[in-house]
């Protein structure tokens, strides 16, 4: 494989000029730049990027941990991350972990071994203590509320969003309120469950354990949710469905079976997905794309030296009223 010295000889320029061309330096004449590029093509030169990264002390790469690539929630966060990564000339290393702790540890080890400059965690299975033990190897930002640790975070207040939704249903005369979650033990689910219990107790209502419905994530789960409700002896009259895809699946399945929304079941979804607008689903906008943008900006700011301390930033959710309640 040819080296920079051979490229310089073939182009009739100095080694310094070749280095400037390779690194995109602006102060190179067009004639010399064309000569170097032609020599590179002719000699089939390829840079040893591992050596370049070693010299620079950075990889221009940020890792992203996410459990599922093909789910709308994570796709919207990724949209925000990718937009700023492209603008900042950074590469992304997407690591789909399926909520497997060992897979998440593998990614953290890549941060330790300098295969990436920083890390964004969209959702996790590992404990915060485990993750924090890697914080000395590069900046880490999580898309959830974190405090008192050497970790940055960008989040919405899931407790407040659930509280807002329950108050709205209560004012609409709904008293038998159920809600769905995907993972019962996730930080967001724990916040939502506490809001569900606290808010209904404060209003004089009842939070029922059998109306906390776990394991709902996709369109098909919405249809399964309807079957589960119809099999109950005592049914709720309102649902907080944590994901507009599940809410859409529920509403479409209900329509096929002659069940009315909001007549038989009032529905509030989450994430403000496009399907929510099409089907008239009242929803909570979690500002997912903006969350991704801010997560990237925080990590990039640490890498560039603009931030020294962990950053914790709350985004304000938006309640969007439509016809499903």
């Amino acid at each position: 494989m040819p080296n920079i010295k051979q490229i310089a000889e073939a182009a009739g320029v100095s080694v310094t000029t070749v280095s400037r061309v390779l690194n995109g330096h602006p102060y190179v004449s067009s004639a010399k730049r064309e000569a170097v590029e032609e020599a590179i093509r002719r000699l089939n030169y390829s840079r040893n990027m591992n050596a370049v990264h070693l010299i620079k002390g950075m990889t221009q790469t940020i890792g992203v941990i996410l459990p599922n690539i093909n789910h709308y929630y994570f796709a919207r966060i990724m949209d925000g991350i990718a937009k700023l990564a492209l603008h900042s000339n950074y590469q992304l290393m997407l690591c789909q972990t399926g909520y497997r702790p060992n897979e998440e540890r593998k990614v953290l080890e890549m941060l330790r071994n300098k295969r990436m400059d920083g890390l964004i965690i969209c959702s996790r299975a590992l404990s915060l203590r485990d993750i924090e033990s890697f914080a000395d190897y590069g900046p880490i930002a999580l898309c959830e509320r974190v405090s008192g640790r050497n970790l940055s975070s960008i989040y919405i207040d899931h407790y407040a969003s659930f509280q807002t939704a329950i108050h709205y249903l209560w004012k609409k005369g709904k008293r038998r309120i159920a809600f769905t979650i995907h993972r019962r033990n996730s930080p967001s689910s724990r916040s939502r469950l506490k809001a569900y219990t606290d808010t209904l107790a404060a209003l004089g209502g009842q939070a029922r354990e059998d109306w906390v419905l776990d394991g709902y994530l996709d369109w098909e789960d919405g249809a399964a949710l309807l079957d589960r409700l119809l099999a109950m002896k005592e049914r709720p009259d309102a649902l907080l469905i944590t994901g507009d895809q599940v809410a859409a699946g529920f509403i479409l399945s209900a329509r096929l079976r002659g069940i009315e929304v909001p007549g038989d079941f009032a529905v509030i979804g989450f994430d403000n997905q496009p399907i929510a607008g099409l089907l008239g689903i009242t929803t909570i906008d979690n500002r997912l794309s903006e969350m991704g943008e801010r997560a990237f900006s925080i990590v990039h700011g640490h890498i560039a030296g603009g931030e020294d301390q962990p950053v914790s930033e709350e985004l304000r959710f938006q309640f969007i009223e439509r016809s499903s309640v």
Side-chain angles (χ1 to χ4, degrees):
M1 179 182 295
N3 55 35
I4 290 180
K5 184 178 179 181
Q6 290 169 320
I7 295 294
E9 291 173 351
V13 299
S14 68
V15 170
T16 300
T17 298
V18 175
S19 179
R20 286 177 175 173
V21 171
L22 291 173
N23 289 293
H25 199 287
Y27 301 115
V28 179
S29 70
S30 59
K32 289 183 177 181
R33 187 180 301 278
E34 290 173 5
V36 171
E37 291 173 349
E38 169 59 27
I40 287 172
R41 286 191 293 270
R42 182 158 30 94
L43 297 179
N44 196 26
Y45 171 77
S46 178
R47 300 181 80 183
N48 183 340
M49 293 310 298
N50 288 331
V52 173
H53 295 157
L54 185 63
I55 292 169
K56 290 185 174 182
M58 61 177 57
T59 65
Q60 292 289 113
T61 299
I62 290 176
V64 182
I65 285 179
L66 68 172
N68 302 296
I69 291 174
N70 64 347
H71 191 269
Y72 182 89
Y73 181 94
F74 300 111
R76 288 298 295 161
I77 296 176
M78 277 306 311
D79 179 67
I81 295 171
K83 183 191 303 181
L84 288 196
L86 182 63
H87 179 75
S88 304
N89 197 30
Y90 255 73
Q91 295 180 336
L92 297 175
M93 184 184 295
L94 305 188
C95 306
Q96 180 172 273
T97 58
Y99 288 119
R100 297 188 184 104
N102 286 340
E103 294 299 321
E104 293 177 9
R105 287 193 186 93
K106 288 178 184 178
V107 183
L108 289 162
E109 287 294 338
M110 286 192 280
L111 179 66
R112 185 207 296 267
N113 294 324
K114 303 301 181 185
R115 292 181 60 187
M116 56 184 68
D117 300 329
L119 181 63
I120 298 168
I121 301 178
C122 299
S123 191
R124 64 182 170 87
L126 281 175
S127 70
L128 290 175
R129 183 193 306 177
D130 285 337
I131 294 169
E132 188 181 25
S133 67
F134 289 84
D136 289 340
Y137 305 111
I140 301 173
L142 293 90
C143 297
E144 63 180 88
R145 175 180 283 175
V146 178
S147 60
R149 295 186 178 274
N150 189 24
L151 299 167
S152 293
S153 66
I154 179 73
Y155 62 94
I156 72 156
D157 189 335
H158 291 285
Y159 185 100
S161 70
F162 242 58
Q163 190 176 54
T164 297
I166 292 171
H167 275 285
Y168 181 82
L169 290 171
W170 195 268
K171 288 179 180 178
K172 291 284 188 176
K174 305 300 179 180
R175 299 293 181 266
R176 304 191 311 276
I177 301 171
F179 83 95
T180 75
I181 50 180
H182 175 223
R183 291 189 309 139
R184 192 182 185 93
N185 292 323
S186 73
S188 60
S189 292
R190 289 196 296 269
S191 293
R192 290 164 174 170
L193 179 58
K194 184 169 176 23
Y196 175 70
T197 303
D198 293 350
T199 307
L200 284 177
L203 291 170
Q206 183 180 11
R208 294 179 43 159
E209 177 63 27
D210 58 331
W211 286 351
V212 179
L213 310 170
D214 193 3
Y216 295 91
L217 180 65
D218 292 313
W219 302 88
E220 296 83 357
D221 295 333
L225 172 62
L226 179 61
D227 290 335
R228 183 172 177 179
L229 294 178
L230 293 179
M232 291 181 177
K233 290 183 178 180
E234 188 175 359
R235 301 170 187 167
D237 59 5
L239 296 164
L240 298 173
I241 300 180
T242 53
D244 288 333
Q245 284 188 347
V246 181
F250 177 87
I251 289 173
L252 291 172
S253 182
R255 287 179 180 176
L256 290 173
R257 300 171 72 166
I259 296 167
E260 295 183 357
V261 174
D264 296 308
F265 297 103
V267 172
I268 295 179
F270 280 79
D271 304 339
N272 193 26
Q273 299 175 21
I275 192 65
L278 292 173
L279 295 181
I281 302 173
T282 297
T283 188
I284 303 286
D285 188 343
N286 289 335
R287 298 170 65 185
L288 298 175
S289 182
E290 187 175 347
M291 185 179 293
E293 290 182 17
R294 291 300 304 136
F296 180 89
S297 294
I298 289 168
V299 171
H300 185 258
H302 280 285
I303 294 168
E307 299 284 357
D308 295 324
Q309 300 298 321
V311 175
S312 182
E313 182 176 333
E314 179 181 346
L315 295 177
R316 296 291 182 182
F317 64 86
Q318 182 180 2
F319 187 84
I320 299 175
E321 182 180 0
R322 297 192 178 105
S323 61
S324 64
V325 178

